[in-house]
Amino acid sequence: MLDKVKKLIDTHEIISFDIFDTLLLRIYAKPTDLFLHMEKLYNIPGFFKARIAAETNARAHTSAEEITLDEIYQQLPDYFRTFKCKEIEHEIAALKVNKDIYQVYKYALKKKKKIIITSDMYLPKDILINVLHKNGYNKYDRFYLSSETLVTKHNGTLYTLILNDLNITAPNTLLHIGDNYYSDYERAIEKGIDAYHYKKAIDQLFESNIRTKMYYDQNPNDVGASILLGLLAYNHLKFDKNYWKNFGYNYAGPTVFSYVYWLKKSFEKDNINNALFVARDGYSLKKVFDLMNDDEVKSSYIYAPRVLSTLFYLDFNQNKYIDPNEKFSAVKNILSHYKERNDILKEKTPNITSTEEGVAFIEQHIDIYKKLAEEETKSYKDYIENLSLKENLAIIDTCSINLSSQRLIEKIIGKQLYGYYFLLQANENTNINLDDYILRAYREDKFSWIKDWDVMEFFMTSPEPPIKDFRNGNPIYKKPDNNDKIRSEIYPVLSEGIVEFAKDLLSSFPNCNPFITWKNIFDWVNIFCSVSTPKDKKMLANVNHAFDFNHEKYVPICKEWYNFEYENKIQIKNKFKIGNLVVLKKLSKKNVSSYFFFNLPILTINKENKRINYHLFKYIPVYKRKEKKNKMKYYAFNLPILTITKKYYR
């Protein structure tokens, strides 16, 4: 586009620019969404429709071609008229320079062309001049505004006025650039003026990103969706070529901003004065919070991974109901962590092959482990106290089942925290009573879900490797594998996009609620999860998320794109030594999951009344399970009937 317009500029003496959706962009999907935004901001029901109707009525009651803002507000009821200044204020704030057209403007200046501004608009001229200058358009020869001249481009008469005013005898020496196909292109051509039709930013966005049009159609007359799309359209015209920065801006940016804005408002209600953003999820959250924080709340980035609860309190039971194999990992982690801290443990710690073996060794040497754990806990307590925490503490995380970070910090400091979460995923099998904690959740409807939570784990993470230990006030990182290295390379740039989205939004709507709600975010992220593009699919192909305790089991984000499946390989064993390895198909319905070999239901798992019942062939009860690393053994009549090994693949 730029090369084509530059060539046109080279062959013309005078260059005319439209303002709205050309030189400047509104950060809304539709211009009238500004009125909807005002209605919500100031709690003035009916303003949106009344303001649109007032403009129509004002045009119907005048003999002139154009109207003014004053004439529009005269058509409104008295209690709406006081908001005229607010409309101007919000209009000014929501206008941003079009980086695309700004390059064209600078090129015309460089070529020493005569530049004029030509606009059909009811706003006062002095207001528009200030907005143009604020956005870098301060050099032009003439400014023709319909609300001042009372003639319009739409009728063609403003073009006639320009030709006469500038004494232009050859209209084709003038090039007009604008977004309205009728007013800016067809009407100009009718007057002999050369014209270039510039597509609206929102239409360019829809053409470049199929998800945005789907989102727009699903969220009509929603101001949060409108602002989100308006910012994406603005970013699209920056033409930043970095894929990951744009990915961060377009997808993670709205998610993080909306969550953090909710946090800020929630902190105000709860009188929070100290916010603890938990690593690693809190990395970008804290960056965005600091942009909108007025220093009334002290923010800190803290390390409180769930592995610490295991090490400090020898608590290896907290994970067993999420994934039974994780109990084995927790026990093994305790053994390896403390092995080098004590001569007896160094000599005797076994290389375990089962959970029971590890638990037995820990219990046999429990006094040693407790003493070492107390020393570790004291060191961590010193780290927390050095943060100089005040009263009314908040801890911020994304998704939690066991509240591991919150419970850890509460134990360390001996007081309750306010826990703030993107969503709370209650687990009926844990021994945690959520009523014992002060909890707040961003997601209001507990039945609404993100289609693939691993996407959110990618949005809200950090470049750091997984934490395996904590010593002397510093995290000890696990040696990064290839998946960690990929994420560590990508995420700093992705986080830049997140922060840039927040800066653009805050500059457009200072001290003003953008109403990008949790529902807006869930809709947007779920569309992303459901609709792949060749480019996204290629770029995300090697981005995986570790979901287990030891960060060893990886799954792709956007599993639906890659036809990812979970495979359960089940080995059938009994006293008759039948031992073939088979792949079973899993079917789930309500509270019942069944594993089939051809049409034979080998294992049935029934979750009812907070209990889980296991049956072989639907009828034989399984009353005991023994866990080993990567394996689950099912016993019936004291016989090991099944061994299940879970593997994950694409």
Side-chain angles (χ1 to χ4, degrees):
M1 187 280 291
L2 289 178
D3 290 341
K4 182 177 181 179
V5 178
K6 286 177 179 179
K7 288 179 181 179
L8 288 172
I9 287 172
D10 289 339
T11 59
H12 292 80
E13 297 175 8
I14 304 170
I15 312 301
S16 169
F17 289 97
D18 174 47
I19 297 179
F20 291 88
D21 294 316
T22 306
L23 290 176
L24 300 174
L25 304 175
R26 286 187 180 97
I27 306 301
Y28 293 103
K30 300 194 302 289
T32 54
D33 287 338
L34 182 149
F35 312 141
L36 182 61
H37 194 187
M38 289 177 61
E39 178 176 311
K40 291 177 70 70
L41 274 175
Y42 301 109
N43 192 23
I44 43 176
F47 179 80
F48 171 62
K49 290 183 178 179
R51 172 60 181 78
I52 294 173
E55 183 173 342
T56 302
N57 293 336
R59 294 189 186 281
H61 287 84
T62 183
S63 58
E65 291 182 23
E66 186 59 289
I67 55 176
T68 65
L69 188 63
D70 286 340
E71 290 174 318
I72 292 172
Y73 268 80
Q74 287 171 8
Q75 298 294 322
L76 285 167
D78 290 344
Y79 54 89
F80 285 152
R81 291 182 186 177
T82 58
F83 291 94
K84 184 181 75 171
C85 292
K86 286 294 182 184
E87 178 178 332
I88 293 173
E89 177 185 324
H90 289 295
E91 187 81 77
I92 292 171
L95 287 168
K96 285 189 172 294
V97 62
N98 181 343
K99 299 290 181 69
D100 195 20
I101 291 295
Y102 187 71
Q103 294 183 57
V104 175
Y105 165 78
K106 296 292 283 186
Y107 182 80
L109 286 176
K110 180 181 177 181
K111 291 294 184 176
K112 301 187 183 306
K113 303 296 181 178
K114 178 180 283 190
I115 295 175
I116 64 174
I117 309 295
T118 310
S119 178
D120 281 355
M121 186 57 182
Y122 48 73
L123 286 173
K125 188 174 185 179
D126 60 333
I127 298 295
L128 293 176
I129 288 173
N130 288 336
V131 176
L132 287 168
H133 287 196
K134 183 184 78 169
N135 285 283
Y137 299 109
N138 50 12
K139 293 180 180 179
Y140 47 84
D141 293 275
R142 295 280 198 282
F143 186 173
Y144 297 98
L145 182 65
S146 62
S147 62
E148 181 183 59
T149 63
L150 299 181
V151 291
T152 64
K153 291 183 295 179
H154 183 80
N155 286 343
T157 47
L158 184 54
Y159 292 120
T160 301
L161 184 150
I162 291 169
L163 294 173
N164 292 334
D165 186 57
L166 297 178
N167 296 315
I168 298 173
T169 56
N172 61 359
T173 60
L174 169 62
L175 171 68
H176 178 68
I177 301 169
D179 70 287
N180 188 295
Y181 189 80
Y182 181 74
S183 298
D184 290 311
Y185 184 76
E186 288 189 341
R187 279 302 201 182
I189 295 295
E190 287 176 6
K191 297 295 180 178
I193 297 169
D194 286 346
Y196 179 83
H197 176 234
Y198 178 77
K199 280 189 179 180
K200 294 181 187 295
I202 194 69
D203 292 331
Q204 292 188 53
L205 177 69
F206 290 160
E207 290 178 2
S208 69
N209 186 337
I210 187 175
R211 301 183 188 109
T212 56
K213 186 62 167 67
M214 293 172 63
Y215 184 66
Y216 178 80
D217 291 339
Q218 287 181 19
N219 294 274
N221 297 324
D222 185 303
V223 68
S226 176
I227 289 173
L228 190 158
L229 290 170
L231 282 163
L232 267 53
Y234 170 64
N235 182 61
H236 176 68
L237 294 182
K238 295 177 186 175
F239 290 102
D240 191 317
K241 300 299 182 182
N242 189 295
Y243 173 87
W244 291 115
K245 186 176 179 183
N246 284 322
F247 183 91
Y249 191 105
N250 293 340
Y251 301 105
T255 302
V256 170
F257 182 91
S258 179
Y259 180 33
V260 171
Y261 190 87
W262 171 83
L263 286 173
K264 185 175 186 298
K265 293 301 179 184
S266 299
F267 291 169
E268 292 171 2
K269 292 178 183 177
D270 292 332
N271 296 314
I272 298 298
N273 50 36
N274 211 138
L276 309 177
F277 290 87
V278 176
R280 296 177 291 170
D281 296 3
Y283 179 82
S284 291
L285 298 177
K286 182 182 183 301
K287 285 185 177 182
V288 173
F289 179 77
D290 288 344
L291 290 176
M292 62 178 77
N293 187 19
D294 50 14
D295 295 328
E296 290 185 5
V297 178
K298 178 184 176 183
S299 68
S300 304
Y301 183 67
I302 69 162
Y303 296 95
R306 57 179 171 166
V307 67
L308 297 188
S309 289
T310 303
L311 298 176
F312 295 168
Y313 301 107
L314 307 179
D315 181 8
F316 43 76
N317 287 318
Q318 66 166 324
N319 306 296
K320 69 178 182 179
Y321 294 112
I322 305 170
D323 181 345
N325 293 324
E326 291 195 355
K327 184 177 179 181
F328 178 87
S329 297
V331 171
K332 192 170 182 179
N333 198 47
I334 291 172
L335 295 174
S336 62
H337 176 81
Y338 289 116
K339 181 177 179 179
E340 301 298 324
R341 312 291 180 86
N342 179 274
D343 290 339
I344 295 175
L345 299 184
K346 187 174 183 179
E347 179 185 348
K348 295 186 176 182
T349 299
N351 184 18
I352 63 172
T353 58
S354 71
T355 302
E356 290 76 15
E357 182 185 1
V359 170
F361 183 83
I362 292 171
E363 290 176 346
Q364 184 181 352
H365 301 85
I366 193 65
D367 291 338
I368 297 175
Y369 282 106
K370 282 185 176 180
K371 182 179 179 181
L372 294 173
E374 286 174 4
E375 293 173 1
E376 296 277 321
T377 305
K378 183 180 183 304
S379 174
Y380 185 75
K381 186 174 183 179
D382 292 340
Y383 159 73
I384 293 296
E385 289 178 348
N386 285 336
L387 296 174
S388 302
L389 303 180
K390 304 175 184 178
E391 297 297 323
N392 292 342
L393 299 173
I395 189 164
I396 298 96
D397 210 339
T398 52
C399 177
S400 184
I401 297 174
N402 285 303
L403 311 179
S404 55
S405 296
Q406 182 170 348
R407 292 165 60 212
L408 171 64
I409 302 298
E410 287 187 353
K411 284 182 181 179
I412 292 293
I413 67 176
K415 65 173 68 172
Q416 271 199 319
L417 304 177
Y418 285 79
Y420 295 87
Y421 298 89
F422 192 93
L423 59 81
L424 283 165
Q425 185 176 349
N427 189 320
E428 63 184 16
N429 295 310
T430 60
N431 295 319
I432 299 171
N433 183 0
L434 297 183
D435 293 335
D436 293 338
Y437 300 88
I438 304 173
L439 303 173
R440 306 283 187 267
Y442 164 75
R443 178 193 63 173
E444 294 178 7
D445 178 7
K446 66 180 181 180
F447 297 108
S448 295
W449 293 96
I450 298 293
K451 289 190 69 173
D452 193 329
W453 182 255
D454 293 315
V455 171
M456 306 300 283
E457 295 282 359
F458 183 52
F459 287 177
M460 294 179 280
T461 184
S462 82
E464 301 161 284
I467 299 168
K468 69 174 184 178
D469 201 349
F470 195 87
R471 297 176 191 169
N472 303 318
N474 295 299
I476 307 299
Y477 297 111
K478 181 183 176 183
K479 183 179 179 180
D481 59 19
N482 189 55
N483 288 297
D484 294 322
K485 289 176 182 177
I486 290 172
R487 181 178 47 77
S488 296
E489 291 173 3
I490 289 171
Y491 197 75
V493 183
L494 191 150
S495 186
E496 286 180 24
I498 293 173
V499 172
E500 189 168 311
F501 177 91
K503 287 180 177 178
D504 287 346
L505 196 155
L506 291 169
S507 65
S508 299
F509 305 101
N511 304 312
C512 176
N513 189 342
F515 297 102
I516 301 178
T517 66
W518 70 270
K519 187 178 182 305
N520 293 134
I521 297 304
F522 276 52
D523 288 349
W524 179 228
V525 175
N526 283 337
I527 287 175
F528 171 78
C529 293
S530 301
V531 181
S532 66
T533 66
K535 178 70 171 179
D536 291 336
K537 199 170 180 180
K538 177 183 177 182
M539 296 300 290
L540 290 165
N542 295 317
V543 177
N544 300 305
H545 170 65
F547 64 89
D548 65 312
F549 182 80
N550 271 356
H551 293 88
E552 294 173 345
K553 299 176 184 177
Y554 285 88
V555 294
I557 68 169
C558 297
K559 289 176 278 297
E560 186 177 317
W561 296 4
Y562 304 102
N563 297 318
F564 175 86
E565 296 177 4
Y566 290 91
E567 177 189 87
N568 286 312
K569 289 188 176 180
I570 299 182
Q571 189 172 6
I572 305 174
K573 291 184 178 180
N574 60 23
K575 63 181 181 179
F576 300 108
K577 297 184 179 180
I578 299 173
N580 295 320
L581 195 66
V582 297
V583 177
L584 303 188
K585 182 178 181 181
K586 180 181 178 182
L587 295 176
S588 297
K589 185 177 181 182
K590 293 187 177 179
N591 296 322
V592 180
S593 295
S594 298
Y595 293 88
F596 287 84
F597 178 56
F598 292 100
N599 292 322
L600 181 65
I602 301 293
L603 178 66
T604 301
I605 303 173
N606 194 337
K607 299 179 182 180
E608 287 184 325
N609 301 322
K610 298 187 177 181
R611 297 188 61 183
I612 303 179
N613 298 311
Y614 300 84
H615 289 87
L616 295 171
F617 311 110
K618 285 191 176 181
Y619 305 109
I620 303 174
V622 175
Y623 61 90
K624 185 179 181 182
R625 293 185 300 160
K626 187 176 285 187
E627 299 126 14
K628 287 190 175 183
K629 186 178 181 181
N630 300 324
K631 293 183 179 180
M632 285 292 299
K633 285 193 174 182
Y634 293 82
Y635 285 73
F637 311 115
N638 289 326
L639 295 174
I641 305 296
L642 293 178
T643 299
I644 295 184
T645 300
K646 287 190 176 182
K647 293 186 178 180
Y648 306 90
Y649 72 102
R650 292 187 186 186

